[in-house]
Amino acid sequence: MFLPKYPDSPTPPPAYLHTVADQAPARRPVPQISVSTGAVAAVLVVGVVLTALLAAVAVTAVSVAVAAVILRSMLRDQYRR
């Protein structure tokens, strides 16, 4: 009742037919990309600036964390007295 029905032929027919080999495939032209020196310099400058900003944020976060630990220890010592 729920068994699949198999085709009568043991091998399936080929999925594609062979074509003549003398036809060359059509090639699309590749778009030309020109990169100027100014664009490369702009990308490098933006990368350096963003890296410097990231480093500044990291240094600020570390210094704030150290200051918070120092203040916490000073206030804890004051409340224990």
Side-chain angles (χ1 to χ4, degrees):
M1 180 171 159
F2 293 110
L3 295 175
K5 294 185 179 182
Y6 296 106
D8 293 336
S9 64
T11 58
Y16 60 92
L17 298 174
H18 294 285
T19 59
V20 180
D22 61 349
Q23 296 176 353
R27 298 186 73 181
R28 295 187 312 203
V30 178
Q32 296 294 325
I33 299 174
S34 62
V35 179
S36 66
T37 308
V40 172
V43 168
L44 288 176
V45 168
V46 168
V48 167
V49 168
L50 289 178
T51 304
L53 287 174
L54 182 62
V57 168
V59 168
T60 304
V62 169
S63 64
V64 167
V66 168
V69 168
I70 292 172
L71 284 174
R72 184 175 132 195
S73 67
M74 289 173 59
L75 291 175
R76 187 174 20 159
D77 288 343
Q78 185 179 8
Y79 286 129
R80 284 186 181 178
R81 291 181 187 178

